[in-house]
Amino acid sequence: MALVTLGCARNEVDSEELAGRLAADGYRLVDDAEGADAVLVNTCGFIESAKKDSVDAILAATDSGARVVAVGCMAERYGAELAGALPEATVLGFDDYTAIGDRLDDVLEDRPLVPHSPRDRRTLLPISPVARTAAVAAPEAPAIPGHGWVQRRRLASGPTAALKLASGCDRRCAFCAIPAFRGSFVSRPPAEVLTEARWLAGQGVTELVLVSENSTSYGKDLGDLRSLERLLPELAAVEGIVRVRVAYLQPAELRPGLLEVIAGTAGVAPYYDLSFQHSSPGLLRRMRRFGGTDDFLALVGRARALAPEAGFRTNVILGFPGETEDDVAELERFLTEARLDAVGVFGYSDEEGTEAVGLPGKLDQPEIDARVRRITDLVEELTAQRAEDRVGTRVEVLLTEDLSAEEGSGVWAGHAAHQDPDADGTTTLTGVPAEARPGQLVVADVVGTEGVDLVAAALAPVPAGR
């Protein structure tokens, strides 16, 4: 069978869990859908464009002649509705994950399966965060992808890997439907996270990217809001791991202690993936969020005071209902003063089941598109300038690919501490020693840029166990 993954790093982890379960049940995984008996498509249901990509992937899989099974966020969110619209595919929900081998047997043997009826997964566990810990262990608890760790099967061979901290979200942002189909926030026990980290290290991973819907909430359902602060040094100390980075931080929940641990712990990247979404205080309140330009600039300033070369990335939404020209100008002020390394720019679209669908002040699509282009142009200029600011600085680059055959002796691709492996640009290194290997950290001086990408001259490998 073949497995196709769409969407975020959290979905990638879920796919590797499914791959591990299927391999344990005797299924042989292949890279190409052509010739496979079945294709499992792990869908994304985050925004309209992601849903379209998921549907396109399902339809493309049907062209292979294989049986097609849709899982993931879009399948969970729409269930029977998706099955009715795409009769070519069997649609499974999260509760099928623990028995995915049996479900695939059913599909291949033409045993009928009834698509699930979607439900608000926030209602399936106790409201009290601490009470969820016991509830998740109960036999009748809903399945939560990525929890109750089973040995993953890696679907990529590189030296970086995502490691899931938690699933779900307790926030109620007006534009976001994720909590309804991913459920309430549930942390994985620290011992489980560490066990998986050691397993990943044994698979050749040297950089861990910690992912969840909201990593700053980690531990609140375990009764310890400092859980992540305690866990990060332990993860960084795992044998074979040279760098740990945290993704998906919520600005309103970023406590001083966590800020300091990320900035000052050896082996933890001074990197802040902050979910700002906008910076106009009034518009943020309409989004059911907190903060504003001045608060966010102060937060960035505190982090830079602790780690002057820290990396920052965020996403912003343009065209939310009621957004004015003054709101856009406020966002421009924030982006210009914050000097972030990477910014994702998205146009607002209605997501059924969210509060924003019923808000007044909807903008026409051409106006949303124009604002997206305007901020995208600004961001491209600002992030390129931020990269130029790093010329003359010293960075630690994790090597990912030897480019010597194409570019000449000693040339490698990699990413510095301020660059997420998948989203924030790359660093091209020259003068890398011949004995270098993927996953190794190399000290380098930045000598040039190409947009947000850096060009650097290697100096020496970072000593092991530093």
Side-chain angles (χ1 to χ4, degrees):
M1 68 151 295
L3 211 162
V4 177
T5 305
L6 295 100
C8 65
R10 301 182 295 272
N11 250 20
E12 293 172 8
V13 175
D14 293 349
S15 285
E16 293 193 348
E17 175 190 343
L18 291 168
R21 290 182 182 278
L22 288 166
D25 287 338
Y27 279 91
R28 184 171 64 89
L29 300 178
V30 297
D31 294 331
D32 194 344
E34 295 297 330
D37 293 324
V39 180
L40 202 68
V41 181
N42 191 354
T43 61
C44 177
F46 179 42
I47 56 177
E48 198 61 38
S49 60
K51 288 183 279 189
K52 181 181 183 303
D53 289 344
S54 294
V55 171
D56 289 346
I58 293 169
L59 293 174
T62 62
D63 293 339
S64 69
R67 303 295 181 88
V68 179
V69 178
V71 296
C73 292
M74 189 177 181
E76 174 65 34
R77 184 176 181 184
Y78 295 104
E81 181 183 347
L82 181 63
L86 294 172
E88 305 93 334
T90 299
V91 178
L92 302 178
F94 292 154
D95 287 337
D96 293 304
Y97 279 28
T98 55
I100 191 64
D102 292 339
R103 296 293 78 76
L104 202 53
D105 290 346
D106 292 335
V107 171
L108 294 174
E109 295 296 328
D110 290 322
R111 291 189 285 267
L113 291 171
V114 178
H116 68 283
S117 296
R119 50 187 174 168
D120 187 337
R121 289 178 67 88
R122 292 172 296 189
T123 65
L124 304 183
L125 292 170
I127 293 175
S128 168
V130 176
R132 290 181 200 150
T133 302
V136 168
E140 67 278 5
I144 302 173
H147 288 251
W149 182 69
V150 294
Q151 187 162 304
R152 293 161 57 173
R153 175 167 177 152
R154 292 207 69 206
L155 299 174
S157 57
T160 66
L163 175 57
K164 188 178 284 191
L165 283 174
S167 185
C169 185
D170 287 340
R171 303 190 71 84
R172 295 295 181 265
C173 301
F175 53 83
C176 185
I178 289 175
F181 56 84
R182 275 289 182 178
S184 299
F185 186 89
V186 180
S187 301
R188 298 179 67 196
E192 185 178 298
V193 177
L194 283 164
T195 297
E196 188 165 349
R198 295 185 186 104
W199 179 83
L200 286 168
Q203 299 294 306
V205 171
T206 61
E207 178 171 334
L208 301 173
V209 183
L210 307 184
V211 300
S212 70
E213 275 73 28
N214 176 9
S215 297
T216 33
S217 282
Y218 181 72
K220 72 176 185 180
D221 52 323
L222 305 176
D224 182 6
L225 278 172
R226 297 190 61 193
S227 291
L228 186 54
E229 296 165 40
R230 304 181 202 281
L231 180 61
L232 282 172
E234 294 185 78
L235 288 169
V238 169
E239 185 176 357
I241 298 300
V242 300
R243 188 155 67 196
V244 179
R245 85 175 59 238
V246 187
Y248 307 109
L249 299 169
Q250 170 58 241
E253 297 180 20
L254 186 51
R255 300 168 302 281
L258 181 56
L259 196 77
E260 293 164 7
V261 168
I262 292 174
T265 303
V268 175
Y271 173 83
Y272 299 90
D273 176 9
L274 293 158
S275 175
F276 289 126
Q277 304 300 349
H278 211 283
S279 74
S280 170
L283 191 71
L284 284 167
R285 302 304 175 273
R286 286 174 66 87
M287 290 179 167
R288 301 297 182 197
R289 296 177 67 85
F290 303 94
T293 296
D294 293 336
D295 298 315
F296 296 160
L297 289 174
L299 175 59
V300 171
R302 289 195 297 274
R304 281 206 173 108
L306 294 166
E309 300 303 326
F312 296 86
R313 89 165 329 271
T314 196
N315 293 318
V316 296
I317 298 172
L318 276 300
F320 187 82
E323 183 186 62
T324 65
E325 274 294 325
D326 286 345
D327 293 327
V328 179
E330 185 70 2
L331 178 59
E332 288 175 322
R333 179 171 81 90
F334 168 67
L335 294 171
T336 300
E337 295 185 27
R339 296 167 47 242
L340 307 177
D341 295 277
V343 182
V345 183
F346 297 89
Y348 169 81
S349 62
D350 279 339
E351 287 295 318
E352 58 265 43
T354 64
E355 180 186 353
V357 169
L359 290 178
K362 295 287 178 64
L363 279 69
D364 295 336
Q365 192 61 47
E367 179 60 30
I368 295 175
D369 294 342
R371 293 183 182 187
V372 168
R373 288 193 299 270
R374 171 178 162 187
I375 296 301
T376 298
D377 289 345
L378 175 65
V379 160
E380 289 178 353
E381 178 183 353
L382 292 172
T383 54
Q385 290 174 0
R386 178 60 184 147
E388 290 174 2
D389 291 343
R390 295 188 181 275
V391 173
T393 65
R394 188 156 290 179
V395 293
E396 293 184 357
V397 180
L398 189 123
L399 302 180
T400 55
E401 184 181 4
D402 187 353
L403 303 177
S404 298
E406 304 169 14
E407 305 291 341
S409 177
V411 180
W412 280 73
H415 55 274
H418 71 280
Q419 296 171 318
D420 179 89
D422 296 322
D424 299 346
T426 61
T427 297
T428 300
L429 275 177
T430 60
V432 178
E435 65 273 15
R437 295 292 179 269
Q440 187 175 13
L441 275 182
V442 173
V443 178
D445 284 340
V446 180
V447 297
T449 65
E450 297 176 0
V452 297
D453 299 330
L454 303 183
V455 179
L459 298 176
V462 175
R466 53 92 201 239

